[in-house]
Amino acid sequence: MGGGRWIERWEPEDETFWRETGKRTARRNLLVSVFSEHIGFSVWSLWSVMVLFMGPEYGVDPAGKFFLIGTTTLVGALVRIPYTFAVARFGGRNWTVLSALLLLLPTGFAYAVMEPGTPYPVFVLVAALTGVGGGGFASSTANVNAFFPQAEKGWALGLNAGGGNIGVPVVQLVGLLVIGTAGAAHPRIVLGLYLPLIVAAALCAALFMDNLAPVRNDTGAAREALRDRHTWLMSFLYVGSFGSFIGFAFAFGLVLQSQFGRTPLQAASLTFAGPLLGSLLRPLGGLLADRHGGARVTLGSFAGMTVATMVVIHAATNDSLPLFLAGFAGLFVLSGLGNGSTYKLIPAVFLAQGRRKGLTGTAAEAYGRRLSGAAMGLAGALGALGGLGVDLAFRESFGTTGTGTDAFVAFLVCYALCMGVTWAVYLRRPRTAPLDCASVR
């Protein structure tokens, strides 16, 4: 290890190295990464909670609230692209410290302005700043991908992302507790609780994480990944899985209020459960993909999401809240599994691509690691934009028809397309297989 907590030699595919020193170091970095990303997701999700505190005295209608959520989703998606390459430029430890400290800006500003009478454009600006919380996923994923060997990437990436995703239901649960005890007039309690946690995340990263010297910024990898069709195909699949998860997680409370007339307390008491289920099951999706192939698990997830969406549409048209909640729970569970399996699929596909080019052994592994890191960042950004699509679909549907049914029909079409792409590209066996890698299937 070099000065400033830089590790000069890192060979996770070397079994001896991994057993003697690599595994322990990688898991320590993974643990801190999960905590930091968890706080980042919580901050990114703040406005899914803040809008529940915004009663009539704020003068913001449901469409305006969906716009606030959409704004933070959009910015969170866009910042994922530079965050992806920040790890190689600054080091995983260094960037985690800095990105954690950046979370103080939106949280502090929200604390300052969260009260009736604040002009709506100010809320939009603060919601946009909150998007930096979504960027941490891209940088932490790129970092974890570099630390772990191919055989453990599904589990590690799933645990990292799942632990981060849990930040969504946790902040929503905190919001529920505040509304249930102090009332809907005290959103600053939620914000005040997170300020010291942000500092703790930055401090833990500084004390316990490492930078990997072999991981260097490679703009050529980004350009090559952009030219590869699999980057775009897997990004589309991630739009269907993660876009659904984050879009539903942010909008669920507002959907309950708008579709079924729930009060803020009633909505908050139900909002956190779905994202919690999806977050907890994301590592399982990665683990199942490690064992059975990312494409098989991904196809099954989208098939299940198609059925769950049909249940939700039936419940919405028949005004059945219990059935609606059951269908939505299914969507969260299945999108969580699909998130884990899709991200496992990305490094497996690029490893197979390297072997197709005639590379073997460490050369194929290096090629797969190089391109998959870039592709993951791009897929993560586009997947988060899928969450924006969910928010905009709800906004348009409720604005024109007063219900979310039209939005759910659009989601149904998307899942059917995702199923078709998964089967046609990664499972169908043509005369000349496009990818010769068992872990893909």
Side-chain angles (χ1 to χ4, degrees), residues 91-109:
R93 167 186 174 269
N94 297 346
W95 182 251
T96 304
V97 173
L98 179 59
S99 61
L101 291 175
L102 284 174
L103 299 176
L104 292 171
L105 290 176
T107 310
F109 278 124

Side-chain angles (χ1 to χ4, degrees), residues 47-48 51 65-74 250-251 254 391:
W47 285 93
S48 71
V51 294
K65 294 177 183 179
F66 277 119
F67 186 79
L68 291 175
I69 295 173
T71 298
T72 193
T73 306
L74 172 62
F250 283 12
L254 274 179
D391 296 331

Side-chain angles (χ1 to χ4, degrees), residues 129-306:
L129 285 174
T130 308
V132 299
F137 171 81
S139 55
S140 66
T141 296
N143 196 40
V144 170
N145 183 57
F147 266 102
F148 281 82
Q150 180 67 33
E152 295 189 28
K153 285 186 189 293
W155 168 82
L157 291 169
L159 185 62
N160 180 64
N165 291 172
I166 289 177
V168 180
V170 167
V171 73
Q172 292 171 343
L173 183 58
V174 171
L176 167 64
L177 294 174
V178 171
I179 293 174
T181 55
H186 300 282
R188 286 191 173 99
I189 295 177
V190 178
L191 300 164
L193 289 172
Y194 273 90
L195 290 169
L197 291 175
I198 292 169
V199 175
L203 184 61
C204 286
L207 293 176
F208 303 115
M209 290 188 73
D210 303 292
N211 303 304
L212 292 181
V215 178
R216 293 303 185 202
N217 202 12
D218 188 353
T219 55
R223 288 194 297 267
E224 193 171 343
L226 283 170
R227 291 193 298 266
D228 196 299
R229 71 185 184 108
H230 291 291
T231 298
W232 299 103
L233 290 171
M234 288 181 287
S235 294
F236 175 66
L237 298 182
Y238 202 57
V239 166
S241 60
F242 181 76
S244 296
F245 170 82
I246 200 65
F248 292 155
F250 283 12
F252 190 34
L254 274 179
V255 170
L256 289 174
Q257 286 183 299
S258 304
Q259 184 89 40
F260 292 96
R262 301 293 95 179
T263 66
L265 180 58
Q266 290 170 332
S269 66
L270 297 169
T271 297
F272 74 93
L276 178 61
L277 287 171
S279 302
L280 291 174
L281 289 172
R282 179 161 183 159
L284 177 60
L287 183 61
L288 289 173
D290 282 338
R291 294 180 178 178
H292 305 292
R296 290 192 181 97
V297 180
T298 299
L299 180 65
S301 298
F302 283 125
M305 290 172 72
T306 301

Side-chain angles (χ1 to χ4, degrees), residues 1-2 5-12 17 87-89 91 146-147 210-218 366 369-370:
M1 183 178 297
R5 298 190 69 91
W6 282 89
I7 296 177
E8 298 297 332
R9 173 179 174 256
W10 190 256
E11 300 175 5
F17 173 84
V87 167
R89 177 66 179 84
F147 266 102
D210 303 292
N211 303 304
L212 292 181
V215 178
R216 293 303 185 202
N217 202 12
D218 188 353
R369 190 180 307 115
R370 174 174 171 265

